[in-house]
Amino acid sequence: MSSPSTSSKPRVLFVDQSGRLGGAELYLLDVARAYRDTSRVVLFEDGPFAGALRDAQIPTTVLESAAAVRNVRKQDGLRALLRALPGLFQTVARLARLARDYDLLFANTQKALLVAGLAGWWTGRPVIWNLHDLLTDDHFTRLNRWAAIWGANAFATHVIANSEASRQAFEAAGGRVPTSVVYNGIDPSPFEAVSSSAVAALRAELGVEDVPLIGLFGRLAEWKGQHVLIEALSSLPTAHALLVGDALFDGDQAYARSLHQRVAELGLADRVHFLGFRADVPTLMTACDVIVHTSVAPEPFGRVIVEGMLAARPVVATKAGGALEIITDGRTGCLVPPSDPAALANTLSSLLHTPDATELGRAGRARARRVFSPEAMQSGIDAVLSRVISNNGQP
Ligand code: UDP
């Protein structure tokens, strides 16, 4: 077994189950970049996330043996879990071999926690779990919540929660591990670099030069509530909407099809623009007049809310979960009840017609720069890592 790192940067073995670029993976991309000289990211599948890590020159390993673990879904029962056991064992063994060269394991998703937890137990390495979810029945089955809490209590030395809301849900579900809240930090520079000519070119390309433009960013999934904006748009006769994001996970394709169908039924096809996954979010957000977040279940954090604020656009978010920690209603954005197209349409209509919206956008940007900065995130993570290492893995 090699000895712990003597350099100032800890050696961290990050573990994430996903090959796709969801919010948790974009976060890990930023966190791992700061430790890339001493650390490695292990994924359970290849794909765009692995590509982005390699582009950022972050050492990356894909464990193909993890397919069996990866294919267990949130809704699955005990039988599916049992079928995944042989693949789980093989994956844990491979991860444990890698873990011997690192000071600690950092699990970024739930399945990663279970696999990293077992590898940590095997090798005597401490395990940190970064919790990106609200462990409530809005999002998870009872079995799934139980497995997550059991995994955390059994294996994690420390839990990093992405919001107070996530921390409270973890504790309410039975989590008993020391927990710190570290907010996602978003780099403001890509938003500052957007030029007015790039915005004009984008608007021209999309055919939305002179219309009020509302942007909704996020993967297409029922709980993200894209349908609420579509309903609201039918009472905003001149506005257009950009729906930016793809259906990333199982079952979300059917929801995506239902959105297209509803748009056709309401006769909104020329005003709703489905753009799929885009890598130019800062330019797209800056091209919008208002950014909306429509999640119908509480959002654990909501990176897109902070990004809309960094673009200095007024952001309207649903009044629940992490959004309450990001926006103060009427001061740095607006909060509306979830699943309420009429309330959303009213708020959008007033924002699209008042010069105060500019001030709201500026106030939001100031708060986002101050509270959700990459520096604040990095120092929060550094503090947890050094505490865990100096306690030698003891809570
Ligand atoms: N995103 C992106 N391209 C898209 C749609 C979304 O890069 O087409 C990014 C978005 O900018 C944000 C992340 O995906 O950084 C979504 O994170 P959020 O916390 O809002 O939601 P999650 O996917 O974690 O539920």
Side-chain angles (χ1 to χ4, degrees):
M1 195 188 284
S2 56
S3 55
S5 167
T6 47
S7 86
S8 58
K9 281 276 177 204
R11 299 175 306 175
V12 187
L13 192 57
F14 295 99
V15 189
D16 190 293
Q17 73 205 43
S18 181
R20 282 162 272 197
L21 278 169
E25 287 68 38
L26 289 166
Y27 163 85
L28 183 58
L29 185 59
D30 287 338
V31 171
R33 196 179 272 124
Y35 297 98
R36 70 180 158 201
D37 295 340
T38 54
S39 300
R40 172 171 296 278
V41 178
V42 175
L43 302 182
F44 295 176
E45 68 179 325
D46 218 328
F49 183 30
L53 288 161
R54 290 182 191 119
D55 289 348
Q57 290 168 3
I58 298 166
T60 302
T61 300
V62 177
L63 293 184
E64 297 297 347
S65 63
V69 184
R70 198 179 67 224
N71 294 335
V72 177
R73 292 161 309 161
K74 275 183 187 175
Q75 310 76 6
D76 284 346
L78 200 54
R79 200 172 296 170
L81 294 179
L82 292 175
R83 269 201 308 273
L85 278 182
L88 172 67
F89 182 79
Q90 219 183 341
T91 308
V92 170
R94 294 203 51 202
L95 194 63
R97 267 203 300 279
L98 284 171
R100 294 201 165 89
D101 292 329
Y102 295 87
D103 300 318
L104 56 87
L105 291 124
F106 184 112
N108 197 50
T109 56
Q110 291 199 27
K111 288 176 190 168
L113 167 66
L114 295 181
V115 175
L118 288 163
W121 167 77
W122 192 336
T123 54
R125 296 291 186 267
V127 176
I128 292 172
W129 181 29
N130 206 126
L131 172 62
H132 295 277
D133 292 309
L134 276 174
L135 294 172
T136 59
D137 54 11
D138 287 316
H139 294 278
F140 295 98
T141 63
R142 189 197 284 249
L143 176 66
N144 215 273
R145 281 203 309 276
W146 174 86
I149 294 294
W150 176 82
N153 289 342
F155 299 126
T157 300
H158 201 98
V159 169
I160 296 173
N162 65 348
S163 64
E164 253 326 309
S166 297
R167 184 226 290 260
Q168 282 168 17
F170 172 71
E171 289 174 356
R176 288 189 298 278
V177 182
T179 305
S180 308
V181 173
V182 178
Y183 289 130
N184 281 225
I186 314 269
D187 184 1
S189 49
F191 294 86
E192 289 158 6
V194 175
S195 64
S196 47
S197 59
V199 165
L202 187 67
R203 275 209 176 222
E205 185 193 320
L206 298 173
V208 290
E209 279 111 319
D210 297 312
V211 295
L213 193 58
I214 301 163
L216 174 48
F217 295 74
R219 58 201 161 83
L220 303 181
E222 189 157 8
W223 76 271
K224 291 285 188 183
Q226 280 89 358
H227 57 281
V228 182
L229 175 61
I230 290 170
E231 299 300 324
L233 205 68
S234 54
S235 41
L236 298 165
T238 58
H240 285 231
L242 304 182
L243 296 193
V244 185
D246 241 335
L248 289 190
F249 299 114
D250 292 337
D252 293 339
Q253 281 79 9
Y255 177 66
R257 282 193 297 278
S258 78
L259 291 177
H260 283 275
Q261 200 176 330
R262 189 66 184 142
V263 164
E265 277 164 16
L266 292 171
L268 296 174
D270 56 339
R271 293 200 286 127
V272 177
H273 308 265
F274 287 91
L275 302 189
F277 184 88
R278 299 275 298 221
D280 54 346
V281 167
T283 312
L284 283 163
M285 284 189 168
T286 310
C288 292
D289 296 296
V290 182
I291 306 297
V292 292
H293 161 270
T294 49
S295 294
V296 298
E299 183 78 49
F301 177 72
R303 290 169 62 88
V304 290
I305 302 172
V306 176
E307 291 164 349
M309 292 160 82
L310 287 174
R313 293 296 170 264
V315 179
V316 183
T318 50
K319 203 184 283 184
L324 303 177
E325 296 164 53
I326 304 175
I327 286 180
T328 306
D329 192 19
R331 294 175 144 207
T332 50
C334 295
L335 296 171
V336 292
S339 302
D340 189 340
L344 180 62
N346 270 339
T347 304
L348 287 172
S349 170
S350 44
L351 284 173
L352 290 170
H353 295 108
T354 166
D356 292 350
T358 310
E359 195 36 54
L360 205 58
R362 286 205 191 108
R365 179 174 62 187
R367 174 164 168 76
R369 284 178 174 166
R370 198 175 61 248
V371 181
F372 305 104
S373 68
E375 294 77 18
M377 173 177 79
Q378 205 52 58
S379 69
I381 306 261
D382 280 344
V384 172
L385 296 189
S386 40
R387 182 170 150 193
V388 166
I389 290 171
S390 61
N391 287 355
N392 209 10
Q394 299 306 307

